[in-house]
Amino acid sequence: MTSILSTVSELRAALAQRRASDTGHRVGLVPTMGALHAGHLALVGEARKHSRTVVVSIFVNPTQFAPHEDFEAYPRTLETDVAKLTGRADIIFAPSAAEIYPEGFATSISVDGPSVGLETDIRPHFFSGVATVVAKLLIAAGPDVAMFGEKDYQQLLVVKRLVQDLALPVEIIGVPTLREADGLAMSSRNAYLSGGERTIAGRLNVILKEAALKARDSGNLRAAEASATIALWNAGFGRADYVTIRDAQNLEPLAKLDRPARILAAAKIGKTRLIDNMAV
């Protein structure tokens, strides 16, 4: 039976009881902001492979939204999310904002390294909000493993850096991006797309694949990035925040493909901003 808990004390008590009754009991955590889709459920399935108890947190984190962003409009579908998780997760942790950020809350975590540039150039507040809430969730649940999707690749590396630097006793596992039939990375924000915008969005992954191939064939990374940017505009994207090929381990800029690399992009259609990435 899936339990729905809303306070850190309830979560800790439930997990302590499970651990006490089973030597070597392993806990897996899947942090989400809800509006769950098949990509999230893939994370839950992966967590099940590594742990006896699976905890899924559902919390739309206000500190990672800037005042002009879509915090109020972000989809909140708790009832539907619970139905999707029933039988898949053991515990759903759905705290209020006051539970995570009680009155007087005055602490934030800043991670440099992989957080520098890319998303930070557009959303300078973002990774501090992510790092702070992820740290709180990891400390609250004390999981053995936590699952994060590779779709948010920069976020994945930021969380890995956070855990390493703070010596938190948890393994962070990146799970490959789940995609729609046309290759569009699954995302809760895809629900914002109109029919015509959805067709354009399906070109993003195709353009990245073409750019990755061009980079491998020519060795000219800057030309591959530039051609992908132009292709996004030609496809109907209104803005390309970045298209870049980076070191896959730390997101440092690359002059040539002499190590594992990743191509990452962020582009906007109408009011919807999409991100994607893949190995080069």
Side-chain angles (χ1 to χ4, degrees):
M1 182 177 177
T2 301
S3 302
I4 305 173
L5 308 177
S6 60
T7 68
V8 172
S9 60
E10 290 173 336
L11 177 63
R12 286 176 172 162
L15 291 174
Q17 184 176 31
R18 285 171 174 266
R19 288 182 169 117
S21 63
D22 180 8
T23 302
H25 193 100
R26 286 173 60 82
V27 173
L29 174 66
V30 182
T32 83
M33 293 208 300
L36 302 183
H37 51 67
H40 294 109
L41 300 183
L43 299 179
V44 176
E46 192 65 26
R48 180 62 68 191
K49 297 177 184 178
H50 296 269
S51 49
R52 180 71 60 85
T53 293
V54 174
V55 179
V56 177
S57 64
I58 298 176
F59 178 66
V60 182
N61 178 35
T63 64
Q64 67 191 65
F65 291 81
H68 65 280
E69 291 182 328
D70 59 347
F71 174 70
E72 294 299 334
Y74 195 88
R76 291 162 172 81
T77 57
L78 182 60
E79 185 175 342
T80 303
D81 293 341
V82 169
K84 291 178 179 178
L85 291 171
T86 299
R88 288 187 169 96
D90 301 292
I91 296 173
I92 298 170
F93 179 51
S96 65
E99 177 68 17
I100 299 298
Y101 302 113
E103 185 176 355
F105 188 87
T107 300
S108 64
I109 295 176
S110 175
V111 181
D112 287 332
S115 78
V116 176
L118 304 181
E119 287 300 295
T120 304
D121 289 341
I122 309 301
R123 311 169 71 194
H125 60 285
F126 179 66
F127 283 122
S128 177
V130 168
T132 302
V133 77
V134 168
K136 289 211 66 171
L137 292 171
L138 294 175
I139 293 168
D144 298 280
V145 295
M147 324 307 292
F148 289 82
E150 288 185 355
K151 185 187 81 68
D152 300 289
Y153 195 78
Q154 188 175 14
Q155 174 178 278
L156 170 62
L157 295 191
V158 168
V159 171
K160 285 185 174 182
R161 185 78 256 174
L162 164 75
V163 166
Q164 181 177 338
D165 289 352
L166 298 184
L168 298 178
V170 55
E171 179 185 4
I172 303 300
I173 297 177
V175 180
T177 302
L178 208 62
R179 297 180 179 275
E180 304 286 358
D182 63 354
L184 177 65
M186 291 186 178
S187 169
S188 300
R189 287 188 168 93
N190 292 350
Y192 298 161
L193 298 168
S194 67
E197 291 170 345
R198 174 62 184 81
T199 300
I200 295 169
R203 289 288 302 159
L204 176 57
N205 77 100
V206 176
I207 290 169
L208 292 187
K209 288 176 185 174
E210 293 170 347
L213 181 61
K214 181 173 292 188
R216 290 195 298 268
D217 288 346
S218 70
N220 190 332
L221 276 56
R222 304 295 83 80
E225 294 166 351
S227 66
T229 301
I230 292 170
L232 288 171
W233 291 337
N234 291 339
F237 286 84
R239 187 182 82 203
D241 289 337
Y242 58 81
V243 179
T244 184
I245 298 172
R246 299 292 183 96
D247 186 307
Q249 298 301 314
N250 53 30
L251 296 185
E252 291 181 355
L254 291 176
K256 57 183 178 179
L257 290 178
D258 57 355
R259 69 199 79 167
R262 207 91 183 176
I263 184 168
L264 306 99
K268 196 167 185 180
I269 315 171
K271 296 181 178 180
T272 306
R273 186 171 181 271
L274 302 177
I275 64 172
D276 202 353
N277 72 88
M278 60 188 63
V280 177

